Amino acid sequence: MSEIFENRIWFACAGVIFGAACVLGLFAAKRTRENATARGARFSEPILAIAGWLFLTFALGQRVSASGHLPFSNIFEIFQSLGWCALFSTVLLRAVWGLRVPVFAATGTAAVLCALSFVNAKTWDLPPAFSESAAGTPWIELHAGFATVGYACFSAAAMIWWLFLLQNSALRRRYTHRFFARLPDLAALERIGGRLCSAGLVFFGFGIGVGAVALSGNSHLGSRLAIYKILVSALIFCGFALVLFLRRKNKISALKFSRAGLAIFISAIVLLGGIACLREASPAARDSDVPAQTEDAE
Protein backbone atom coordinates (compact mmCIF):
# COMPACT_ATOMS: atom_id res chain seq x y z
CA MET A 1 0.00 0.00 0.00
CA SER A 2 2.81 2.45 0.78
CA GLU A 3 4.16 2.39 -2.80
CA ILE A 4 0.84 3.82 -3.98
CA PHE A 5 1.46 6.94 -1.93
CA GLU A 6 5.09 7.25 -3.07
CA ASN A 7 4.28 7.48 -6.79
CA ARG A 8 3.55 11.17 -7.48
CA ILE A 9 5.06 11.59 -10.96
CA TRP A 10 1.69 12.06 -12.68
CA PHE A 11 0.66 14.70 -10.15
CA ALA A 12 3.93 16.55 -10.69
CA CYS A 13 3.49 16.47 -14.47
CA ALA A 14 -0.04 17.87 -14.17
CA GLY A 15 1.18 20.71 -11.94
CA VAL A 16 3.96 21.64 -14.38
CA ILE A 17 1.52 21.64 -17.29
CA PHE A 18 -0.89 23.87 -15.38
CA GLY A 19 1.92 26.30 -14.65
CA ALA A 20 2.98 26.37 -18.32
CA ALA A 21 -0.62 26.96 -19.43
CA CYS A 22 -0.95 29.85 -16.97
CA VAL A 23 2.26 31.50 -18.20
CA LEU A 24 1.18 31.16 -21.84
CA GLY A 25 -2.26 32.54 -21.03
CA LEU A 26 -0.85 35.57 -19.25
CA PHE A 27 1.58 36.17 -22.11
CA ALA A 28 -1.20 36.03 -24.70
CA ALA A 29 -3.52 38.25 -22.63
CA LYS A 30 -0.88 40.97 -22.18
CA ARG A 31 0.01 41.21 -25.87
CA THR A 32 -1.35 44.45 -27.26
CA ARG A 33 -0.91 43.35 -30.86
CA GLU A 34 -2.20 40.24 -32.55
CA ASN A 35 0.73 38.37 -34.07
CA ALA A 36 1.78 34.78 -34.71
CA THR A 37 3.36 34.43 -31.27
CA ALA A 38 0.26 35.65 -29.44
CA ARG A 39 -2.01 33.45 -31.56
CA GLY A 40 0.18 30.42 -30.89
CA ALA A 41 0.15 31.06 -27.14
CA ARG A 42 -3.62 31.57 -27.14
CA PHE A 43 -4.10 28.35 -29.09
CA SER A 44 -1.75 26.35 -26.84
CA GLU A 45 -3.29 27.57 -23.57
CA PRO A 46 -6.53 25.53 -23.62
CA ILE A 47 -4.73 22.49 -25.04
CA LEU A 48 -2.27 22.49 -22.14
CA ALA A 49 -5.11 23.08 -19.67
CA ILE A 50 -6.99 20.04 -20.98
CA ALA A 51 -3.81 17.95 -21.02
CA GLY A 52 -2.98 18.84 -17.40
CA TRP A 53 -6.56 18.12 -16.32
CA LEU A 54 -6.44 14.71 -18.02
CA PHE A 55 -3.08 13.93 -16.37
CA LEU A 56 -4.52 14.85 -12.98
CA THR A 57 -7.71 12.88 -13.62
CA PHE A 58 -5.65 9.82 -14.51
CA ALA A 59 -3.48 10.21 -11.39
CA LEU A 60 -6.48 10.56 -9.07
CA GLY A 61 -8.28 7.67 -10.79
CA GLN A 62 -5.22 5.49 -10.37
CA ARG A 63 -5.23 6.24 -6.64
CA VAL A 64 -8.90 5.26 -6.40
CA SER A 65 -8.46 1.96 -8.26
CA ALA A 66 -5.24 0.98 -6.47
CA SER A 67 -6.10 1.96 -2.89
CA GLY A 68 -9.89 1.56 -2.91
CA HIS A 69 -10.58 4.89 -1.21
CA LEU A 70 -11.84 8.22 -2.51
CA PRO A 71 -9.10 10.70 -3.56
CA PHE A 72 -9.26 12.91 -0.46
CA SER A 73 -8.05 10.64 2.34
CA ASN A 74 -5.03 12.86 3.09
CA ILE A 75 -3.94 16.46 2.64
CA PHE A 76 -1.91 15.75 -0.52
CA GLU A 77 -4.91 14.26 -2.30
CA ILE A 78 -7.19 17.04 -1.05
CA PHE A 79 -4.96 19.73 -2.59
CA GLN A 80 -4.77 17.78 -5.84
CA SER A 81 -8.54 17.30 -5.88
CA LEU A 82 -9.03 21.03 -5.33
CA GLY A 83 -6.74 21.70 -8.28
CA TRP A 84 -8.85 19.32 -10.36
CA CYS A 85 -11.99 21.16 -9.29
CA ALA A 86 -10.47 24.55 -10.19
CA LEU A 87 -10.40 23.53 -13.86
CA PHE A 88 -13.76 21.78 -13.71
CA SER A 89 -15.41 24.80 -12.07
CA THR A 90 -14.56 27.07 -15.03
CA VAL A 91 -16.60 24.82 -17.32
CA LEU A 92 -19.39 24.59 -14.76
CA LEU A 93 -19.51 28.36 -14.22
CA ARG A 94 -19.80 28.99 -17.94
CA ALA A 95 -22.48 26.33 -18.42
CA VAL A 96 -24.62 27.30 -15.42
CA TRP A 97 -24.15 31.08 -15.04
CA GLY A 98 -22.50 32.07 -18.33
CA LEU A 99 -19.41 33.40 -16.55
CA ARG A 100 -16.34 33.29 -18.79
CA VAL A 101 -13.45 32.74 -16.40
CA PRO A 102 -10.09 33.24 -18.18
CA VAL A 103 -8.23 29.98 -18.63
CA PHE A 104 -5.05 31.42 -17.11
CA ALA A 105 -6.95 32.13 -13.87
CA ALA A 106 -8.12 28.52 -13.62
CA THR A 107 -4.77 26.98 -14.54
CA GLY A 108 -2.94 29.37 -12.23
CA THR A 109 -5.20 28.41 -9.32
CA ALA A 110 -4.78 24.71 -10.11
CA ALA A 111 -0.99 25.10 -10.37
CA VAL A 112 -0.79 26.80 -6.96
CA LEU A 113 -2.97 24.18 -5.27
CA CYS A 114 -1.04 21.30 -6.85
CA ALA A 115 2.27 22.91 -5.88
CA LEU A 116 1.10 23.36 -2.28
CA SER A 117 0.53 19.62 -2.01
CA PHE A 118 4.27 19.02 -2.62
CA VAL A 119 5.39 21.38 0.17
CA ASN A 120 5.34 18.51 2.67
CA ALA A 121 4.38 15.52 0.53
CA LYS A 122 6.24 12.90 2.61
CA THR A 123 4.17 13.79 5.67
CA TRP A 124 0.92 14.65 3.93
CA ASP A 125 0.72 11.79 1.43
CA LEU A 126 0.35 8.81 3.74
CA PRO A 127 -2.30 6.09 4.07
CA PRO A 128 -5.34 7.13 6.14
CA ALA A 129 -4.55 6.98 9.85
CA PHE A 130 -7.92 5.45 10.71
CA SER A 131 -8.44 3.19 7.71
CA GLU A 132 -8.83 0.02 9.82
CA SER A 133 -11.09 1.50 12.46
CA ALA A 134 -13.24 3.17 9.79
CA ALA A 135 -13.65 -0.01 7.76
CA GLY A 136 -17.25 -0.97 7.16
CA THR A 137 -18.68 2.51 7.80
CA PRO A 138 -19.30 5.17 5.16
CA TRP A 139 -19.28 8.05 7.63
CA ILE A 140 -15.63 9.05 7.30
CA GLU A 141 -15.57 9.06 3.51
CA LEU A 142 -18.93 10.82 3.45
CA HIS A 143 -17.57 13.47 5.81
CA ALA A 144 -14.39 13.90 3.76
CA GLY A 145 -16.35 13.96 0.50
CA PHE A 146 -18.76 16.72 1.50
CA ALA A 147 -15.99 18.72 3.20
CA THR A 148 -13.84 18.50 0.05
CA VAL A 149 -16.74 19.59 -2.17
CA GLY A 150 -17.23 22.52 0.21
CA TYR A 151 -13.54 23.40 -0.04
CA ALA A 152 -13.83 23.11 -3.84
CA CYS A 153 -16.64 25.67 -3.83
CA PHE A 154 -14.57 27.94 -1.60
CA SER A 155 -11.54 27.55 -3.89
CA ALA A 156 -13.66 28.47 -6.92
CA ALA A 157 -15.01 31.44 -4.97
CA ALA A 158 -11.44 32.44 -4.07
CA MET A 159 -10.57 32.42 -7.77
CA ILE A 160 -13.55 34.70 -8.44
CA TRP A 161 -12.64 37.00 -5.54
CA TRP A 162 -9.07 37.27 -6.86
CA LEU A 163 -10.40 38.29 -10.28
CA PHE A 164 -12.72 40.80 -8.59
CA LEU A 165 -9.83 42.43 -6.74
CA LEU A 166 -7.76 42.52 -9.94
CA GLN A 167 -10.58 44.07 -11.99
CA ASN A 168 -11.48 46.53 -9.22
CA SER A 169 -7.86 47.68 -8.95
CA ALA A 170 -7.69 48.19 -12.72
CA LEU A 171 -10.84 50.32 -12.74
CA ARG A 172 -9.69 52.45 -9.80
CA ARG A 173 -6.34 53.13 -11.47
CA ARG A 174 -7.98 53.53 -14.88
CA TYR A 175 -5.95 50.88 -16.63
CA THR A 176 -7.07 50.46 -20.23
CA HIS A 177 -4.93 47.49 -21.23
CA ARG A 178 -6.80 44.84 -23.22
CA PHE A 179 -5.76 42.29 -20.57
CA PHE A 180 -8.43 43.64 -18.23
CA ALA A 181 -11.04 43.58 -20.99
CA ARG A 182 -10.85 39.77 -20.88
CA LEU A 183 -11.94 39.72 -17.24
CA PRO A 184 -15.65 39.51 -16.33
CA ASP A 185 -17.39 42.61 -14.99
CA LEU A 186 -17.50 43.37 -11.27
CA ALA A 187 -21.25 42.78 -10.87
CA ALA A 188 -21.04 39.27 -12.31
CA LEU A 189 -17.96 38.43 -10.25
CA GLU A 190 -19.60 39.61 -7.03
CA ARG A 191 -22.81 37.68 -7.74
CA ILE A 192 -21.08 34.41 -8.63
CA GLY A 193 -18.61 34.69 -5.74
CA GLY A 194 -21.49 34.98 -3.29
CA ARG A 195 -23.30 32.01 -4.80
CA LEU A 196 -20.18 29.85 -4.66
CA CYS A 197 -19.64 30.83 -1.04
CA SER A 198 -23.24 29.89 -0.24
CA ALA A 199 -22.85 26.50 -1.94
CA GLY A 200 -19.59 25.92 -0.07
CA LEU A 201 -21.30 26.62 3.24
CA VAL A 202 -24.01 24.05 2.47
CA PHE A 203 -21.61 21.24 1.54
CA PHE A 204 -18.99 22.13 4.13
CA GLY A 205 -21.56 22.46 6.90
CA PHE A 206 -23.04 19.09 6.05
CA GLY A 207 -19.55 17.57 6.06
CA ILE A 208 -18.88 19.01 9.51
CA GLY A 209 -22.16 17.59 10.79
CA VAL A 210 -21.41 14.13 9.41
CA GLY A 211 -17.92 14.28 10.93
CA ALA A 212 -19.34 15.20 14.33
CA VAL A 213 -21.79 12.27 14.15
CA ALA A 214 -18.97 9.90 13.18
CA LEU A 215 -16.82 11.05 16.12
CA SER A 216 -19.63 10.72 18.62
CA GLY A 217 -20.56 7.22 17.43
CA ASN A 218 -17.09 5.67 17.11
CA SER A 219 -14.66 5.77 20.02
CA HIS A 220 -11.72 4.77 17.77
CA LEU A 221 -12.24 7.90 15.68
CA GLY A 222 -12.93 10.23 18.57
CA SER A 223 -9.34 11.28 19.29
CA ARG A 224 -8.61 14.69 20.74
CA LEU A 225 -6.94 15.79 17.51
CA ALA A 226 -9.97 14.77 15.45
CA ILE A 227 -12.17 16.83 17.76
CA TYR A 228 -9.86 19.82 17.29
CA LYS A 229 -10.12 19.35 13.53
CA ILE A 230 -13.91 19.49 13.69
CA LEU A 231 -13.77 22.60 15.89
CA VAL A 232 -11.36 24.38 13.53
CA SER A 233 -13.58 23.43 10.58
CA ALA A 234 -16.54 24.89 12.45
CA LEU A 235 -14.62 28.14 12.96
CA ILE A 236 -13.86 28.29 9.23
CA PHE A 237 -17.54 27.69 8.50
CA CYS A 238 -18.53 30.50 10.86
CA GLY A 239 -16.02 32.84 9.26
CA PHE A 240 -17.41 32.34 5.75
CA ALA A 241 -20.98 32.48 7.06
CA LEU A 242 -20.31 35.75 8.88
CA VAL A 243 -18.80 37.61 5.91
CA LEU A 244 -21.55 36.30 3.61
CA PHE A 245 -24.23 37.43 6.08
CA LEU A 246 -22.67 40.87 6.39
CA ARG A 247 -22.52 41.23 2.62
CA ARG A 248 -26.13 40.12 2.19
CA LYS A 249 -27.16 42.80 4.72
CA ASN A 250 -24.95 45.40 2.96
CA LYS A 251 -22.90 45.87 6.11
CA ILE A 252 -19.67 45.48 4.14
CA SER A 253 -18.79 46.39 0.56
CA ALA A 254 -18.15 43.90 -2.21
CA LEU A 255 -14.46 44.80 -2.05
CA LYS A 256 -14.24 44.00 1.68
CA PHE A 257 -16.23 40.83 1.13
CA SER A 258 -13.74 39.63 -1.48
CA ARG A 259 -10.76 40.50 0.70
CA ALA A 260 -12.26 38.81 3.76
CA GLY A 261 -13.24 35.71 1.78
CA LEU A 262 -9.73 35.36 0.37
CA ALA A 263 -8.20 35.83 3.83
CA ILE A 264 -10.43 33.14 5.34
CA PHE A 265 -9.67 30.76 2.47
CA ILE A 266 -5.91 31.20 2.84
CA SER A 267 -6.21 30.74 6.61
CA ALA A 268 -8.22 27.56 6.03
CA ILE A 269 -5.51 26.19 3.73
CA VAL A 270 -2.80 26.94 6.31
CA LEU A 271 -4.80 25.38 9.13
CA LEU A 272 -5.67 22.37 6.98
CA GLY A 273 -1.99 21.70 6.27
CA GLY A 274 -0.98 22.20 9.90
CA ILE A 275 -3.64 19.89 11.27
CA ALA A 276 -2.75 17.26 8.68
CA CYS A 277 0.87 17.28 9.88
CA LEU A 278 -0.26 16.67 13.44
CA ARG A 279 -2.76 14.02 12.34
CA GLU A 280 -0.13 12.01 10.51
CA ALA A 281 2.34 12.34 13.38
CA SER A 282 0.00 10.94 15.99
CA PRO A 283 -0.04 7.27 14.85
CA ALA A 284 3.77 7.13 14.90
CA ALA A 285 3.81 8.58 18.37
CA ARG A 286 1.37 5.98 19.55
CA ASP A 287 3.39 3.19 17.94
CA SER A 288 6.58 4.37 19.61
CA ASP A 289 4.99 3.92 23.02
CA VAL A 290 4.22 0.24 22.44
CA PRO A 291 7.73 -1.18 23.04
CA ALA A 292 8.09 0.81 26.25
CA GLN A 293 4.81 -0.50 27.58
CA THR A 294 5.80 -4.07 26.65
CA GLU A 295 9.11 -3.80 28.50
CA ASP A 296 7.37 -2.45 31.61
CA ALA A 297 4.97 -5.35 31.53
CA GLU A 298 7.82 -7.82 31.42
Side-chain angles (χ1 to χ4, degrees):
M1 179 68 71
S2 60
E3 64 272 9
I4 298 174
F5 297 90
E6 294 174 358
N7 185 13
R8 310 182 188 98
I9 184 64
W10 292 103
F11 295 104
C13 290
V16 171
I17 293 175
F18 288 146
C22 179
V23 172
L24 281 177
L26 289 172
F27 172 79
K30 288 186 176 182
R31 300 291 291 184
T32 56
R33 294 181 179 180
E34 187 72 15
N35 53 30
T37 304
R39 287 194 298 269
R42 190 172 294 111
F43 178 75
S44 302
E45 180 189 11
I47 295 177
L48 286 176
I50 295 173
W53 189 80
L54 291 176
F55 268 71
L56 189 54
T57 302
F58 173 78
L60 292 173
Q62 194 178 41
R63 284 289 182 99
V64 173
S65 61
S67 62
H69 61 74
L70 297 178
F72 34 72
S73 64
N74 57 49
I75 187 65
F76 177 86
E77 293 179 353
I78 289 175
F79 275 126
Q80 295 290 338
S81 297
L82 292 179
W84 186 93
C85 292
L87 266 294
F88 181 77
S89 64
T90 59
V91 180
L92 190 65
L93 290 174
R94 184 170 181 175
V96 177
W97 290 311
L99 186 68
R100 295 173 177 264
V101 178
V103 179
F104 65 80
T107 53
T109 303
V112 170
L113 290 169
C114 292
L116 284 175
S117 66
F118 282 93
V119 171
N120 193 14
K122 291 184 178 180
T123 301
W124 289 346
D125 192 22
L126 294 175
F130 302 112
S131 57
E132 295 182 0
S133 59
T137 176
W139 290 111
I140 296 304
E141 289 194 349
L142 189 64
H143 154 70
F146 275 101
T148 303
V149 173
Y151 269 114
C153 293
F154 292 143
S155 63
M159 178 174 61
I160 299 300
W161 291 328
W162 173 68
L163 291 176
F164 180 93
L165 295 178
L166 187 63
Q167 185 73 298
N168 181 77
S169 177
L171 292 175
R172 284 171 46 197
R173 299 180 182 181
R174 298 181 180 179
Y175 291 155
T176 58
H177 196 283
R178 66 187 300 270
F179 169 79
F180 299 101
R182 295 188 60 188
L183 303 180
D185 61 275
L186 293 179
L189 290 172
E190 178 192 359
R191 182 178 68 256
I192 303 305
R195 291 178 179 178
L196 286 171
C197 186
S198 300
L201 287 173
V202 172
F203 287 105
F204 193 60
F206 191 78
I208 294 174
V210 172
V213 171
L215 290 178
S216 62
N218 193 327
S219 59
H220 296 287
L221 302 177
S223 66
R224 182 177 300 177
L225 189 59
I227 295 174
Y228 289 160
K229 182 179 179 181
I230 292 294
L231 292 177
V232 171
S233 298
L235 288 177
I236 295 171
F237 174 87
C238 292
F240 279 116
L242 177 61
V243 295
L244 183 63
F245 173 79
L246 292 176
R247 180 56 193 151
R248 290 284 187 260
K249 296 296 182 180
N250 289 323
K251 299 296 183 181
I252 58 176
S253 64
L255 180 61
K256 291 182 179 179
F257 172 65
S258 299
R259 289 175 176 172
L262 269 178
I264 295 173
F265 177 75
I266 294 173
S267 300
I269 291 295
V270 173
L271 291 173
L272 182 66
I275 291 176
C277 291
L278 296 175
R279 185 185 71 87
E280 299 295 356
S282 59
R286 289 196 302 268
D287 293 341
S288 63
D289 293 338
V290 174
Q293 294 175 359
T294 306
E295 291 176 0
D296 293 341
E298 293 177 355

